[in-house]
């Protein structure tokens, strides 16, 4: 059965002084066997050798912006505005597409002639050398919908590929968890969320920035209240707190 869909992927990497980890990310995109891809890099005006690395691969990068921005999510909003593809994928510096044929396999997993609103899958956690450490603690649900994130961010932001038409800007009021809110808002508008049943992303474990962890949890709480209501969120968090205690 030949697949009739041939979606274009807009892969967006936001960088700022990411010279140490960027090259692997770029290579994982430009070696994809699936060719209907535009690669967009939004750099915040790096002072390290980030731009040297980008320029080495300049012919493979469709759009490059390098200028100061108001932070991560502002840069990601620029990426959305520059994108022309069917699907968006935000691949952070240090993260990689899991295999050279990941996009090809994703497209092959789509049955029928309609493009789903969201494609999603699993995430592997890797170390600096790209060696597999473990799968992400939260695994993707068999059937994803906007209420799924009541249990936390079950799909890693990088492994969540929404249709570009459905994507709104990230809400800059959230400094750490705007991606959580963004995914929920997109899922609310989505009818078909397609589980690729694939590992899509190798996520670089830098021991999750604990510095901002508390702030990001506060934001998530606010975001969950906004989407799921206060009482429901409070009840969930009592359970989260208990789970954390049991895990220790």
């Amino acid at each position: 059965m030949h697949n009739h869909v041939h979606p274009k992927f807009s892969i967006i990497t936001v960088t700022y002084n990411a010279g140490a980890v960027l090259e692997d990310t770029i290579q994982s995109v430009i070696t994809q066997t699936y060719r209907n891809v535009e690669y967009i890099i939004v750099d915040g005006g790096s002072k390290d050798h980030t731009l040297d690395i980008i320029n080495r691969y300049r012919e493979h990068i469709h759009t490059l912006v390098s200028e100061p921005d108001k932070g991560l999510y502002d840069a990601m909003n620029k990426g959305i505005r520059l994108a022309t593809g069917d699907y968006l994928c935000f691949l952070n510096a240090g993260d990689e597409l899991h295999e050279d044929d990941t996009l090809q396999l994703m497209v092959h997993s789509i049955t029928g002639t309609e493009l789903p609103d969201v494609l999603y899958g699993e995430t592997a956690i890797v170390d600096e050398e790209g060696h597999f450490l473990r799968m992400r603690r939260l695994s993707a649900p068999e059937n994803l919908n906007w209420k799924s994130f009541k249990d936390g961010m079950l799909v890693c932001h990088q492994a969540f590929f929404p249709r570009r038409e459905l994507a709104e800007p990230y809400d800059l009021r959230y400094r750490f968890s705007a991606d959580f809110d963004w995914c929920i808002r997109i899922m609310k508008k989505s009818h078909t969320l397609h589980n690729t049943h694939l590992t899509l992303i190798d996520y670089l474990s830098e021991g999750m920035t604990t510095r901002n962890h508390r702030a990001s949890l506060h934001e998530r709480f606010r975001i969950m209240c906004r989407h799921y209501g206060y009482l429901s969120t409070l009840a969930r968090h009592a359970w989260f707190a208990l789970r954390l205690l049991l895990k220790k």
Side-chain angles (χ1 to χ4, degrees):
M1 153 102 194
H2 184 64
N3 205 311
H4 302 299
V5 297
H6 191 63
K8 178 175 171 185
F9 291 93
S10 296
I11 300 182
I12 300 161
T13 297
V14 166
T15 58
Y16 184 66
N17 294 345
V21 292
L22 180 59
E23 193 153 14
D24 290 341
T25 303
I26 294 177
Q27 286 184 349
S28 90
V29 174
I30 69 179
T31 56
Q32 287 297 310
T33 54
Y34 186 79
R35 306 310 296 168
N36 200 7
V37 177
E38 68 177 354
Y39 195 24
I40 298 166
I41 296 186
V42 182
D43 179 67
S46 291
K47 309 282 184 277
D48 67 351
H49 61 296
T50 293
L51 287 167
D52 301 335
I53 294 171
I54 292 171
N55 285 324
R56 209 179 306 156
Y57 295 99
R58 188 64 189 88
E59 72 205 85
H60 301 286
I61 296 158
H62 296 72
T63 311
L64 169 64
V65 179
S66 180
E67 61 189 22
D69 49 53
K70 300 183 195 74
L72 177 68
Y73 294 116
D74 179 43
M76 285 158 70
N77 283 343
K78 281 184 198 173
I80 295 176
R81 289 197 294 272
L82 294 166
T84 64
D86 297 296
Y87 290 104
L88 300 177
C89 165
F90 283 94
L91 199 61
N92 293 344
D95 301 336
E96 298 177 44
L97 290 162
H98 182 60
E99 300 280 4
D100 287 346
D101 60 351
T102 292
L103 294 178
Q104 185 80 52
L105 291 169
M106 286 178 77
V107 171
H108 277 248
S109 78
I110 300 170
T111 49
T113 52
E114 294 292 300
L115 288 179
D117 292 330
V118 174
L119 307 174
Y120 68 97
E122 303 292 348
T123 301
I125 311 290
V126 300
D127 66 14
E128 284 78 19
E129 275 78 61
H131 296 311
F132 175 81
L133 294 173
R134 56 187 169 83
M135 291 305 285
R136 188 169 179 261
R137 187 176 60 83
L138 296 172
S139 60
E142 183 58 38
N143 298 302
L144 184 68
N145 66 60
W146 72 276
K147 292 184 176 166
S148 303
F149 279 18
K150 281 186 178 185
D151 293 320
M153 199 154 179
L154 298 189
V155 175
C156 175
H157 176 223
Q158 283 75 2
F160 181 92
F161 290 52
R163 289 290 300 268
R164 183 173 55 86
E165 290 90 84
L166 293 173
E168 302 168 12
Y170 291 88
D171 187 334
L172 300 185
R173 284 177 304 179
Y174 304 118
R175 286 192 46 218
F176 307 107
S177 297
D179 50 351
F180 185 65
D181 167 68
W182 186 77
C183 290
I184 296 171
R185 277 189 286 136
I186 289 171
M187 290 190 287
K188 278 184 168 174
K189 297 194 292 185
S190 299
H191 300 295
T192 49
L193 295 96
H194 173 67
N195 188 347
T196 60
H197 294 100
L198 298 164
T199 300
L200 303 182
I201 303 294
D202 289 347
Y203 183 91
L204 178 61
S205 151
E206 294 141 316
M208 313 292 164
T209 45
T210 41
R211 224 164 9 112
N212 304 328
H213 189 62
R214 181 175 291 250
S216 97
L217 286 179
H218 277 291
E219 280 190 359
R220 276 198 190 188
F221 187 81
R222 278 169 46 213
I223 291 165
M224 289 174 80
C225 289
R226 176 179 157 190
H227 292 291
Y228 304 126
Y230 182 68
L231 285 175
S232 158
T233 301
L234 209 57
R236 290 276 160 164
H237 275 74
W239 162 239
F240 287 152
L242 185 67
R243 201 169 62 182
L244 274 177
L245 286 174
L246 295 175
K247 231 180 68 183
K248 280 195 169 135

